[in-house]
Amino acid sequence: MNHAAGEASALAQEFVQFAIESGVLRFGEFKTKAGRMSPYFFNAGLFDDGAKLGRLAQFYAKALMASGIGFDMIFGPAYKGIPLGAAVSVELARLGKNVPFAYNRKEAKDHGEGGTLVGAPLKGRVLIVDDVMSAGTAARESIALIQAAGATAHAVAIALDRQEMATEKQADGSTQDVPHSAVQYVRHTLGLQVCAIAKLEDLLAYLGKQGGSELGQHLPRVQAYRDQYGV
């Protein structure tokens, strides 16, 4: 493992620990949007105080700086992406990379400056900051907004890559598993670079180090889920 990969792996392990300690990453039985029963659940909305949000932004900023992905500004998609994008742009500026920040609102405003976009004008290579990527649907919406403004959707930063098969709605309304993950879809089909602070394999590695502790007992179920739905 080279030095950069080693640093990324250490950062990912540290992030998994932080997410578990913050109660953001939980274990049990959770139904995903795709209708699967998942043995773990990640809810970035629970980074819900100043200290946690600040620390989360540090992880994003460090992962982005280490990724080597170039970008000219940050876009935070409504709603979760708004505080995330703002916090990450503050942290990047603290590290010496000061870039403009914009976000959208779900409802167009008909007074004041109007429109759905707020903040800096969208231009250049835009980095989208979000929490997780489930179907790539939200990414497509952000890309359309960015392109409509004449800018380039260049990359996406997320906290956790679940590394599992995405699902697609069929003509009859049912959903079907597809052989790629949402992250792979965004990378290969939409052509965006993706920076994830941690992946499911990092969570498995972390649980594998917990031995016979209470945390370590979740490993078989998370591994079984990865074996069934992983890509």
Side-chain angles (χ1 to χ4, degrees):
M1 190 185 285
N2 64 34
H3 181 65
E7 269 186 36
S9 171
L11 187 74
Q13 293 293 299
E14 202 185 323
F15 176 70
V16 168
Q17 183 173 351
F18 166 59
I20 291 171
E21 285 170 358
S22 302
V24 170
L25 184 54
R26 299 180 176 186
F27 300 96
E29 287 245 320
F30 306 95
K31 194 166 190 176
T32 69
K33 252 189 201 157
R36 297 172 187 153
M37 290 311 292
S38 171
Y40 75 98
F41 182 62
F42 180 85
N43 180 2
L46 296 173
F47 288 117
D48 55 6
D49 63 31
K52 285 185 210 141
L53 186 59
R55 183 113 190 268
L56 174 62
Q58 285 174 359
F59 279 108
Y60 270 104
K62 281 181 184 169
L64 280 164
M65 299 292 255
S67 73
I69 294 170
F71 55 93
D72 303 308
M73 69 174 295
I74 286 176
F75 175 73
Y79 291 99
K80 278 184 183 170
I82 298 175
L84 288 176
V88 172
S89 61
V90 169
E91 185 57 28
L92 282 168
R94 206 178 64 78
L95 295 176
K97 186 175 173 69
N98 184 27
V99 293
F101 166 63
Y103 61 92
N104 68 308
R105 53 167 81 88
K106 297 259 189 183
E107 312 76 24
K109 202 168 79 160
D110 56 5
H111 58 277
E113 78 277 34
T116 59
L117 293 169
V118 188
L122 287 172
K123 59 184 180 194
R125 297 166 302 168
V126 181
L127 169 76
I128 301 162
V129 176
D130 215 340
D131 56 348
V132 291
M133 207 180 278
S134 42
T137 320
R140 284 198 294 266
E141 286 169 12
S142 295
I143 290 165
L145 273 171
I146 291 162
Q147 286 174 340
T152 306
H154 182 65
V156 186
I158 55 172
L160 183 71
D161 176 0
R162 288 181 60 103
Q163 294 183 296
E164 66 180 72
M165 291 184 283
T167 55
E168 279 175 9
K169 263 209 156 49
Q170 304 302 301
D172 63 0
S174 66
T175 55
Q176 194 171 345
D177 292 345
V178 290
H180 56 256
S181 72
V183 165
Q184 287 171 333
Y185 174 81
V186 167
R187 266 200 187 111
H188 304 310
T189 310
L190 304 181
L192 274 67
Q193 296 186 57
V194 180
C195 172
I197 304 170
K199 305 182 178 86
L200 179 55
E201 64 194 40
D202 297 309
L203 170 56
L204 285 166
Y206 182 82
L207 292 175
K209 289 176 190 158
Q210 304 311 307
S213 69
E214 195 182 333
L215 261 181
Q217 290 167 16
H218 298 295
L219 178 63
R221 289 179 60 238
V222 179
Q223 184 62 58
Y225 186 81
R226 173 100 167 103
D227 293 343
Q228 186 174 1
Y229 297 114
V231 288

